[in-house]
Amino acid sequence: MKQIKLNTTNRTKLGGNNAKRYRKNGQIPAVIYGESGEKNLLIDEKSLSIALKSILGKAVLIEMEFDDGTDMRYAMLKDVERHPLTGNPLHVDFIEVVRGKPMFATVPLHFTGEAYGVKNENGIIETHELEVRVKCRPRDLPEMIVVDLTSLKVGEAIRVKDLQAPEGVEFESNADDVVVTCNSVGGDAAAAEEAK
């Protein structure tokens, strides 16, 4: 499980105009909410940018440090509101994670291997899901779930129930949800049907 640290400052002035002023000074408004209550924060833009890059494509636990002497909290990134043109963060939401208690998270899927159907049957891979919902304790949170495509043939699918859950992790997504399929090129439906 990957873990990063973020230092934050308490945000006392709320509202759109104040948020613009904060952003002009290189501070991004943020909020953390959960069991310990809601807390309005500011995060240094450069620190946030580094953190967001290291989180990209992974499920990561964040250690939130507060400048007001409040106890540190663990959190996960919930949402990033971005500027429509520049893509720069405008506001960030974090959700608190309580150590020792089961948590729910969305974990990205990482696809590996060349499918048998692509290599030998002129098939193409179609991805239906890029992430999966899991339940686990914070210490068991995987950065990603690896999906091995090697044995996938034309006309076959990998569903959530076919995935290998790491120890201490349960899948919360529907077991019958299709994650990825191998389809025949050129719409040869008969061959795909035959391979089922």
Side-chain angles (χ1 to χ4, degrees), residues 28-112:
I28 305 301
V31 65
I32 180 173
Y33 48 90
E35 200 172 287
S36 308
E38 190 174 302
K39 204 169 175 61
N40 293 296
L41 309 165
L42 292 168
I43 303 171
D44 173 71
E45 190 173 8
K46 284 178 186 162
S47 302
L48 180 63
S49 179
I50 291 165
L52 291 176
K53 277 180 189 157
S54 70
I55 289 170
L56 193 66
K58 300 180 187 86
V60 177
L61 209 55
I62 303 161
E63 202 176 302
M64 308 281 287
E65 296 279 355
F66 307 113
D67 71 339
D68 63 357
T70 314
D71 285 347
M72 173 274 294
R73 290 194 217 173
Y74 287 103
M76 284 195 73
L77 181 68
K78 188 166 193 314
D79 189 41
V80 182
E81 184 190 335
R82 293 183 181 274
H83 190 282
L85 298 177
T86 64
N88 293 338
L90 298 174
H91 189 277
V92 187
D93 287 5
F94 297 95
I95 187 131
E96 183 182 6
V97 171
V98 181
R99 279 213 177 243
K101 287 192 175 182
M103 62 176 279
F104 295 89
T106 302
V107 177
L109 297 170
H110 178 69
F111 299 94
T112 64

Side-chain angles (χ1 to χ4, degrees), residues 26 30-31 48 58 75 91 111 120 138 146 148 150 164 186 189 192-193:
V31 65
L48 180 63
K58 300 180 187 86
H91 189 277
F111 299 94
N120 303 301
V146 176
D148 185 5
T150 313
Q164 185 66 49
E193 197 60 40

Side-chain angles (χ1 to χ4, degrees), residues 89-142:
L90 298 174
H91 189 277
V92 187
D93 287 5
F94 297 95
I95 187 131
E96 183 182 6
V97 171
V98 181
R99 279 213 177 243
K101 287 192 175 182
M103 62 176 279
F104 295 89
T106 302
V107 177
L109 297 170
H110 178 69
F111 299 94
T112 64
E114 187 179 7
Y116 178 91
V118 171
K119 204 173 180 180
N120 303 301
E121 301 174 318
N122 197 29
I124 55 166
I125 291 296
E126 187 178 343
T127 307
H128 299 268
E129 299 290 342
L130 296 174
E131 52 193 26
V132 68
R133 292 265 307 150
V134 301
K135 178 185 176 185
C136 62
R137 289 188 177 235
R139 68 166 181 255
D140 295 323
L141 179 68

